[in-house]
Amino acid sequence: MTDSPNQPAAVDERIKERSPLREALIRPELGGIMGTAIVFVLFLLFASDSGMFNSQGILNWSQVSAQFMIIAVGACLLMIAGEFDLSVGSMIGFCGMMIAIFSVTMGWPVWLAIIVTFALCIAIGALNGFIVIRTGLPSFIVTLAFLFILRGFTIYLPQTLERKTIIGGVKDAAEGDWLAAIFGGKILTGLFQWMGDAGIIATFERGSNIGKPVVDGLPMLIVWAIVLIIFGHILLTRTKFGNWIFASGGDAEAARNSGVPVNRVKILMFMFTAFCACVFATCQVMEFGSAGADRGLLKEFEAIIAVVIGGALLTGGYGSVIGAALGALIFGVVQQGLFFAGVESSLFRVFLGVILLFAVILNTYIRRIITGER
C-alpha cells in the first residue's frame, strides 16, 4: 500500500537537526565578532576621553586596521585553500623597493614602475605555488625560503645601486601620476569638508588651515581594504571558484576526484596573496614617499594571526573573509588603543600571544563540533 497523501513524510534518521546555538557556534566569524565587541567595550571604558573615538582617532586606527585587512584577505583565502605564505612580509618590502628603484633610480614613470612591480611579484607568487605543487613540499618551507630570498634582494639591490637601504623621492616622482593617485590619494574630500562646515567633525581653528577639517578625506588605503574584503567575501561565498577553494583545503584528493582543479586554485591563491602584499606596499610607499629595506617585517605572522582570530582553521577548508577582516580590525584598534589609553606599547605583543592562543583553542573546539570528534 502507498502512503496516504495526508500522512506526514517520514524523516530520514541520518539527518540530524542542528540547533540555532550550534549553528551560531560553527560560524567562522564567531571569534572575530566576540573579540571585536570585547575590544571596543574595553577601550570605550578606558580610552574614550583620550581622543581615540574622535575623527582623527578613528582615522588612525582605521588606517592601521586597513593595512592588516589588505594582507589578511589574501592570507585568508590561501589558508582556506590549505596553504601558507610566509613570504608576505618580505614581499611587501621587496615590492616597495622595486617601485622606488624603477621610478627614482631608473627614472621610469611611476605608473609603469607599479605595473611592472605588480607583474614581477605576482609571478613570484605563482612560482611559490608552482614549486609547492610540483615538489609536494609544505608551503611553509617553500615560502620560508622565499622570505629570506626576497628580504636579501630587498637589502642587496638598494645597497648596490644607491649605497643605502632607504630610497626616497617617490612622492616627488609620483606627482600627477594617474596610477599613483589610486594608491596614495584620498576620496570624498568634498563630503568631509561639508561635515567640517556642519560641525560634525573637528576643523582646524588656527594657522593657514583654519576652517579645514582635521580629516579631509578617505585614504585610498582604507578604500582598497574595503574593496578587497568585498571581493574576497563574494568570491568565497557566491561563486563556484569559492567552493573550489574550500574543497581544495578541506580534502584535496577528494576535490580532484570531483573535478576540482586543485593545483590551479592553489597557484591562483598564491598569486592573489602576492597581489594583496603589493597593494599594501604600494599604498605604504605612496604615503611615506620612500621605500625601506626593513618594511614588512613580521607582517606575514600578523596576517596569519588575524586570519586565525577571524575563525579560519590552520588545517584549511574553513574560514571567512569577514572574520579575517574583524581579526585585522582588532589588531588596529588594540595597537592604537594602547597608545590612547597610556599603556606601554610593548604589551601589544603580549596581547597578540594571548588572543592567538584563545583563538586557536576556540577554533579547535569548533572543528570538533563540525567533525563530531571528541
Side-chain angles (χ1 to χ4, degrees), residues 35-176:
T36 302
I38 292 170
V39 164
F40 271 98
V41 168
L42 287 175
F43 285 113
L44 280 169
L45 291 174
F46 297 107
S48 59
D49 297 331
S50 62
M52 181 176 175
F53 293 99
N54 61 24
S55 56
Q56 185 64 48
I58 292 173
L59 178 65
N60 286 343
W61 53 258
S62 294
Q63 285 186 287
V64 175
S65 298
Q67 293 178 357
F68 292 125
M69 288 176 184
I70 288 171
I71 54 177
V73 171
C76 177
L77 295 179
L78 183 61
M79 284 179 61
I80 293 174
E83 305 294 345
F84 292 92
D85 190 348
L86 295 184
S87 67
V88 169
S90 296
M91 182 73 78
I92 291 171
F94 178 77
C95 175
M97 188 59 69
M98 294 311 299
I99 291 174
I101 289 174
F102 287 147
S103 60
V104 176
T105 304
M106 301 178 65
W108 292 10
V110 173
W111 64 266
L112 180 60
I114 292 174
I115 291 174
V116 171
T117 300
F118 265 73
L120 175 61
C121 292
I122 291 173
I124 294 173
L127 179 60
N128 268 331
F130 179 78
I131 293 174
V132 169
I133 296 301
R134 294 294 294 179
T135 65
L137 291 171
S139 55
F140 176 91
I141 299 298
V142 174
T143 57
L144 181 63
F146 272 90
L147 179 153
F148 290 106
I149 293 170
L150 292 175
R151 186 63 67 184
F153 277 123
T154 305
I155 297 171
Y156 170 78
L157 291 174
Q159 282 186 332
T160 302
L161 298 173
E162 297 277 1
R163 302 297 179 185
K164 53 188 177 183
T165 57
I166 297 177
I167 298 179
V170 178
K171 188 167 290 187
D172 294 334
E175 190 70 31

Side-chain angles (χ1 to χ4, degrees), residues 11 40 59 65 83 119 167 186 196 215-216 228 239 295 364:
V11 177
F40 271 98
L59 178 65
S65 298
E83 305 294 345
I167 298 179
K186 294 182 179 180
V215 178
D216 59 353
L228 287 173
T239 68
R295 300 273 172 84
T364 301

Side-chain angles (χ1 to χ4, degrees), residues 53-56 58 190-204 211-215:
F53 293 99
N54 61 24
S55 56
Q56 185 64 48
I58 292 173
L191 175 61
F192 279 85
Q193 182 62 59
W194 174 82
M195 289 193 293
D197 295 338
I200 299 174
I201 60 176
T203 58
F204 290 104
K212 292 184 178 180
V214 175
V215 178

